[in-house]
Amino acid sequence: MEEKKAEWISKTTEKLKEKVAWVSTRSQNKIPYTTVNKVHDDKSIPSASQDDGLNWWCNGFFGGMMSLMYHETKEERYINIVRGIEEKLDTCFSNFYGLHHDVGFMWLPTAVADYRLTGNLVSKTRGLHAASLLAGRFNPVGNFIRAWNDPKPKDSSNKGWAIIDCLLNIPLLYWASEETNDPRFRQIAMLHADTARKYFVRPDGSVRHIVEFNPETGEMIKDYAGQGYALGSSWTRGQAWGLYGFVMSYIHTKKQEYLDTAKQIAHYFISNIPEDGLILADFRQPKEPVWYDDSAAAIAASGLLELSKQCNSVDAEIYEIAALKLLIALDQNHCDYTKDNDGIVQNCSVAYYGEHEINLIYADYFFLEAILKLKGTDFFLW
């Protein structure tokens, strides 16, 4: 059994390395989000909207793939691609407007990874600047990090909104605390994580996507379905963000409640994995139409593997077996390793009521990250 697993990991790793090698050459001057007619798009092209151009929340994940590949192969061209993305993202700092809670997703896989891998002090400065921006979104009354900015036109406000996704952004704050020996960043991260534990995680281990607080008093007002099927449903990518996010908060703080919460979410997720291992966009969606979200599977798999490292051997085996089931299902059913398509993981959903059956760059990133974890040559990025 172990021999068969090792063979699959080896073969999958080689397929990924070969694919990313030529994709990185073809897309080296881009910041991809998805594919259009099987070719990577480019978020670095000037956009009419500052929110979905260089400020797009996914703009760190292609760089993250390059960071992983640099660590794996030591080929300089990969870190050079990362630095090209870092330089493009500097415009976001200059403009300021349009930045949001996802600066962790943008600068952890790029600038912070570059600094950790090479000691590049310019990249360190970028990472600390991003961490300061994230800390600046903290509401000390409600102990949460505000998610998005007000929509345009400003016919409504979301100044009291927080979302489950942010749990995997706050490792940027943990890193900043460690790097500066300043506890303020860590304290903000932990206060946000404590709020997420209290208001986002349901007793059964499922999670809410969006919670609205009164920004003046901190009182919870309501929650929203967000990118899930309906209010009270179970958006699978949100489950994955929560699982992985609480694991990381535990690793950085050793606070037992975070590990317990990660396990709670993990067991809920595992109990809902179908026989074929393919993850739906929402665990509580109707039987028809069948919408998958491979990004949820990839994120959850990587989170489960990280969780397995923090547990006793019995629990570790449970989490690793579940992660393997998810990854093998993706590899055998929903991955494209050919040169006909720039993307790898193909059946993602932006949201239950959004685009379906598309490639998303963060699904490719987390799939690559998870496979390298199984191989034992991953780079601790979060």
Side-chain angles (χ1 to χ4, degrees):
M1 185 67 176
E2 285 299 311
E3 185 177 333
K4 187 175 181 181
K5 182 179 79 172
E7 182 182 1
W8 175 80
I9 293 169
S10 178
K11 287 182 177 179
T12 307
T13 302
E14 290 309 307
K15 287 189 293 185
L16 280 170
K17 287 170 66 175
E18 182 179 345
K19 171 108 183 190
V20 177
W22 63 259
V23 166
S24 64
T25 300
R26 190 150 74 184
S27 299
Q28 61 185 312
N29 296 314
K30 295 181 177 182
I31 303 182
Y33 162 59
T34 185
T35 54
V36 179
N37 297 323
K38 300 186 178 182
V39 176
H40 273 152
D41 66 349
D42 186 6
K43 287 294 185 180
S44 67
I45 295 174
S47 169
S49 169
Q50 61 183 0
D51 297 327
D52 65 7
L54 275 174
N55 288 320
W56 189 238
W57 72 275
C58 304
N59 283 357
F61 288 110
F62 186 68
M65 294 176 70
M66 300 303 104
S67 297
L68 291 173
M69 288 295 287
Y70 174 71
H71 181 262
E72 176 73 14
T73 68
K74 302 301 183 288
E75 293 182 31
E76 287 293 322
R77 69 186 189 89
Y78 289 119
I79 202 66
N80 289 336
I81 295 172
V82 177
R83 288 176 180 164
I85 293 172
E86 290 179 59
E87 290 170 5
K88 289 179 179 180
L89 293 181
D90 283 346
T91 301
C92 302
F93 290 144
S94 301
N95 292 342
F96 177 74
Y97 295 101
L99 286 174
H100 39 68
H101 67 282
D102 281 325
V103 294
F105 286 147
M106 295 171 71
W107 278 281
L108 266 172
T110 54
V112 176
D114 186 354
Y115 170 63
R116 283 169 160 164
L117 287 166
T118 72
N120 186 350
L121 294 179
V122 176
S123 297
K124 173 185 175 180
T125 301
R126 290 176 173 128
L128 291 174
H129 191 34
S132 296
L133 289 166
L134 183 57
R137 301 186 70 85
F138 181 69
N139 183 317
V141 175
N143 287 332
F144 66 89
I145 293 172
R146 178 184 176 177
W148 303 291
N149 305 312
D150 280 345
K152 303 178 185 64
K154 292 189 176 181
D155 54 356
S156 62
S157 174
N158 52 27
K159 65 174 64 75
W161 287 20
I163 63 173
I164 194 69
D165 319 36
C166 198
L167 283 168
L168 207 53
N169 279 288
I170 60 175
L172 178 65
L173 300 179
Y174 293 127
W175 167 79
S177 262
E178 294 159 8
E179 197 59 42
T180 62
N181 196 29
D182 187 333
R184 292 176 300 166
F185 294 104
R186 183 183 71 252
Q187 288 163 357
I188 288 172
M190 292 179 72
L191 288 168
H192 178 86
D194 292 342
T195 297
R197 282 189 67 244
K198 182 176 180 180
Y199 292 103
F200 282 81
V201 184
R202 304 181 183 118
D204 66 353
S206 65
V207 303
R208 299 179 169 103
H209 181 199
I210 304 170
V211 174
E212 180 180 2
F213 300 93
N214 183 319
E216 301 293 342
T217 67
E219 178 186 8
M220 177 181 170
I221 297 174
K222 61 185 295 188
D223 65 312
Y224 298 87
Q227 291 171 271
Y229 164 65
L231 191 65
S233 70
S234 180
W235 176 51
T236 54
R237 191 159 70 247
Q239 301 295 144
W241 292 137
L243 189 167
Y244 204 157
F246 278 114
V247 174
M248 296 313 300
S249 278
Y250 172 72
I251 290 172
H252 286 289
T253 68
K254 300 305 178 186
K255 185 173 179 178
Q256 184 64 37
E257 289 89 342
Y258 298 152
L259 181 61
D260 293 341
T261 304
K263 289 181 176 181
Q264 182 185 9
I265 299 171
H267 284 279
Y268 172 83
F269 196 102
I270 292 170
S271 70
N272 282 279
I273 297 175
E275 187 65 30
D276 62 9
L278 298 171
I279 298 302
L280 301 171
D282 193 302
F283 282 134
R284 296 170 185 169
Q285 70 185 42
K287 290 184 178 180
E288 297 291 339
V290 178
W291 299 129
Y292 295 106
D293 186 6
D294 292 347
S295 73
I299 297 163
S302 197
L304 286 165
L305 291 173
E306 207 62 56
L307 179 58
S308 71
K309 300 174 187 177
Q310 312 304 319
C311 302
N312 61 45
S313 59
V314 175
D315 287 346
E317 185 177 12
I318 292 171
Y319 302 137
E320 184 174 333
I321 288 172
L324 274 168
K325 183 172 184 175
L326 296 173
L327 295 169
I328 291 171
L330 290 178
D331 172 54
Q332 295 181 348
N333 298 282
H334 288 174
C335 283
D336 187 337
Y337 298 105
T338 72
K339 293 187 177 181
D340 297 328
N341 194 325
D342 287 353
I344 301 170
V345 184
Q346 299 300 317
N347 276 48
C348 301
S349 293
V350 172
Y352 182 81
Y353 296 103
E355 295 176 271
H356 301 286
E357 297 180 352
I358 64 170
N359 168 257
L360 295 170
I361 194 65
Y362 48 91
D364 290 355
Y365 167 81
F366 283 104
F367 184 67
L368 175 63
E369 179 187 80
I371 297 299
L372 292 178
K373 283 182 182 179
L374 284 171
K375 183 172 178 276
T377 57
D378 61 304
F379 164 63
F380 185 78
L381 193 149
W382 303 101

